[in-house]
Amino acid sequence: MKYDKNEKLFNIYVFFTTFSRNLIEVFIGTILFKAGFSFHEVVLYFVIGYAFSTILAIPCVAFSKRFSNKILAFVGVIAFIALQIILNHPVVSIPYLFLVGFVFALYRKAYWVSRRYYTLKLISHQQNVARKYSVMSVINQLGVIVSSYAGSIFLEFFSIEIITMISFGLLTLSTGILHFIKFKAEEPSKIKLQPFKAMRKTPVSSMLHIIFYELGNIGKCLFPLYLVMYIKNTYTMIGFVGLFANIAALVFIYMYGRLINKKRNFLKLSLLLYIIMKVLQVNTEGIALMIISFFEGFVLKLYEQSFHKDYLILSRKFDPYNFNLLYELVMDFGRLAVIIFLLLCFDDPKTMIYVNFAIMSLGLFFKFKTTTRKTANR
């Protein structure tokens, strides 16, 4: 399996940006909780963040098409550093939550729109798409393993300023790598953004699977709060649990890529196993929690690998800008609807996690179709 210069450069970018982001990203909800916000106020922050993310989807993709994904990625760097500065000066008020939510949404949207564009351009049209993505996932996972526990140490014993300095240096240098990634000449100005046409073209079951997959991020936001509120009120506890899961994931990622590439897919099986592991995870503690987290790590990666194989194959039916926008809008509306429902109806993180994964389990009844709908052009 050969790799060209663009792929090598992009993998370096993925590692260092993943390392920088995960030094603090997983802890934001916990930082707000420890600053004096109530649990419901922290969940309100998630609602605000997802709402702004939905609003920013079209402007960010349009910006990337009009100017470039490289510039958009730098916008994400600036927003991420601003977010860390804001978190270092907490004010327990609703306007502060809106500020954090907006800056977080801008950073996430700028980062992921640009990163997904490069992923689609580099991988989606290759024959061995699952194996190629598995290598990128290994690089990503290495960054997560190193950073999540390191971030917990910095927050527990030092301060956010240390993380800000590290993040600023690494994010700026790694994002600069994108300047050296060159594609054949394309004319994005001739591409018209048509998100609703793209939705009509995409199978409903496939859009539902995008939502179900992304609901896993709600679980990732709520689980650290559960650990802090019910298990142990330290950042290192969150980092330690994440460390076990991420090491397990790294061991199995490449093997999954080879297995899934052989016209096999384990999307529904891996989704079922992932949900079972998450339910067990919020019902254990101590050594049992670490063991469950270990198994949850490689089950999650099997699910991620299976999902990404299908979604990358589906993306071949679209130009990268419209597919990027389609993914962002479907993901944002789905996550926003679910997090609002959880905030209005439930009072504790454990119940919210249960309900969130119960909604995800609906994916067991739908097939991810990698072909487009014939009715789209009528």
Side-chain angles (χ1 to χ4, degrees):
M1 188 167 54
K2 296 181 179 180
Y3 296 91
D4 62 22
K5 177 184 176 182
N6 283 345
E7 290 177 73
K8 292 176 181 177
L9 288 172
F10 187 62
N11 283 335
I12 295 172
Y13 165 79
V14 167
F15 174 79
F16 284 108
T17 56
T18 300
F19 175 84
S20 303
R21 293 184 306 106
N22 281 278
L23 282 171
I24 196 169
E25 187 174 316
V26 71
F27 304 105
I28 292 176
T30 309
I31 290 170
L32 294 174
F33 183 74
K34 283 176 168 281
F37 288 96
S38 68
F39 169 69
H40 274 86
E41 288 171 333
V42 175
V43 179
L44 175 62
Y45 149 73
F46 295 142
V47 172
I48 294 168
Y50 290 147
F52 277 125
S53 183
T54 305
I55 294 169
L56 289 169
I58 293 177
C60 281
V61 175
F63 182 95
S64 71
K65 188 174 80 72
R66 174 66 178 84
F67 298 100
S68 79
N69 282 279
K70 297 179 179 69
I71 297 176
L72 182 63
F74 275 108
V75 171
V77 172
I78 295 170
F80 186 63
I81 300 305
L83 174 64
Q84 295 186 53
I85 294 172
I86 294 168
L87 287 172
N88 199 44
H89 298 87
V91 178
V92 182
S93 67
I94 298 302
Y96 179 83
L97 287 182
F98 272 88
L99 177 61
V100 175
F102 172 75
V103 177
F104 177 77
L106 178 60
Y107 137 66
R108 288 275 298 182
K109 192 61 66 179
Y111 176 78
W112 281 108
V113 166
S114 55
R115 173 168 163 172
R116 189 178 299 109
Y117 169 82
Y118 284 101
T119 301
L120 295 174
K121 292 287 288 184
L122 290 169
I123 294 180
S124 64
H125 291 277
Q126 299 197 33
Q127 187 174 11
N128 55 349
V129 61
R131 289 186 66 185
K132 287 283 188 177
Y133 182 80
S134 71
V135 173
M136 184 187 298
S137 191
V138 167
I139 302 297
N140 187 85
Q141 204 63 30
L142 284 169
V144 173
I145 287 174
V146 176
S147 63
S148 59
Y149 193 67
S152 69
I153 296 294
F154 287 135
L155 286 171
E156 196 71 53
F157 300 105
F158 300 99
S159 66
I160 295 179
E161 287 98 331
I162 301 295
I163 297 177
T164 302
M165 289 187 289
I166 296 172
S167 297
F168 178 74
L170 290 178
L171 278 174
T172 302
L173 290 173
S174 57
T175 305
I177 292 173
L178 296 179
H179 177 73
F180 300 99
I181 297 179
K182 308 291 184 182
F183 297 118
K184 292 181 180 179
E186 62 178 8
E187 298 184 51
S189 60
K190 293 185 177 181
I191 299 173
K192 186 176 180 180
L193 293 180
Q194 298 176 306
F196 297 109
K197 182 178 179 180
M199 288 180 184
R200 291 195 301 271
K201 187 177 176 181
T202 307
V204 173
S205 61
S206 301
M207 289 190 285
L208 287 173
H209 267 289
I210 291 173
I211 293 173
F212 297 142
Y213 174 77
E214 290 293 343
L215 289 183
N217 283 309
I218 293 181
K220 291 176 183 178
C221 292
L222 292 173
F223 186 63
L225 289 170
Y226 162 77
L227 289 176
V228 168
M229 293 172 66
Y230 296 106
I231 304 298
K232 191 175 181 180
N233 188 16
T234 63
Y235 292 113
T236 49
M237 182 64 186
I238 299 170
F240 201 53
V241 171
L243 183 66
F244 267 73
N246 290 317
I247 289 175
L250 180 64
V251 172
F252 289 90
I253 289 172
Y254 190 70
M255 179 188 72
Y256 288 155
R258 295 176 64 90
L259 187 65
I260 293 170
N261 208 55
K262 297 178 180 179
K263 295 186 178 181
R264 300 174 184 172
N265 206 314
F266 303 92
L267 185 62
K268 292 184 179 181
L269 175 61
S270 58
L271 174 58
L272 176 61
L273 292 175
Y274 176 53
I275 292 170
I276 291 172
M277 289 297 108
K278 293 305 292 186
V279 171
L280 291 174
Q281 203 175 33
V282 294
N283 284 282
T284 55
E285 53 185 272
I287 298 299
L289 175 60
M290 301 304 167
I291 294 173
I292 293 298
S293 297
F294 182 84
F295 284 102
E296 182 262 342
F298 67 75
V299 169
L300 170 60
K301 283 304 168 183
L302 178 57
Y303 177 47
E304 288 184 358
Q305 293 288 104
S306 300
F307 171 81
H308 277 90
K309 177 188 177 182
D310 284 343
Y311 119 84
L312 287 170
I313 292 174
L314 176 64
S315 73
R316 296 170 180 172
K317 314 297 190 301
F318 304 82
D319 67 83
Y321 294 100
N322 273 296
F323 187 78
N324 214 347
L325 183 54
L326 164 72
Y327 191 98
E328 290 292 330
L329 289 174
V330 170
M331 169 190 71
D332 287 332
F333 279 115
R335 290 198 306 200
L336 181 59
V338 171
I339 196 67
I340 290 175
F341 169 69
L342 295 177
L343 176 63
L344 295 177
C345 298
F346 304 100
D347 296 321
D348 67 281
K350 192 171 185 179
T351 304
M352 289 184 179
I353 290 171
Y354 282 147
V355 175
N356 182 65
F357 284 103
I359 297 172
M360 281 186 68
S361 69
L362 296 175
L364 298 171
F365 304 99
F366 298 94
K367 181 181 179 180
F368 195 122
K369 297 178 182 179
T370 55
T371 55
T372 53
R373 286 193 282 178
K374 296 180 180 179
T375 57
N377 295 318
R378 291 181 183 178

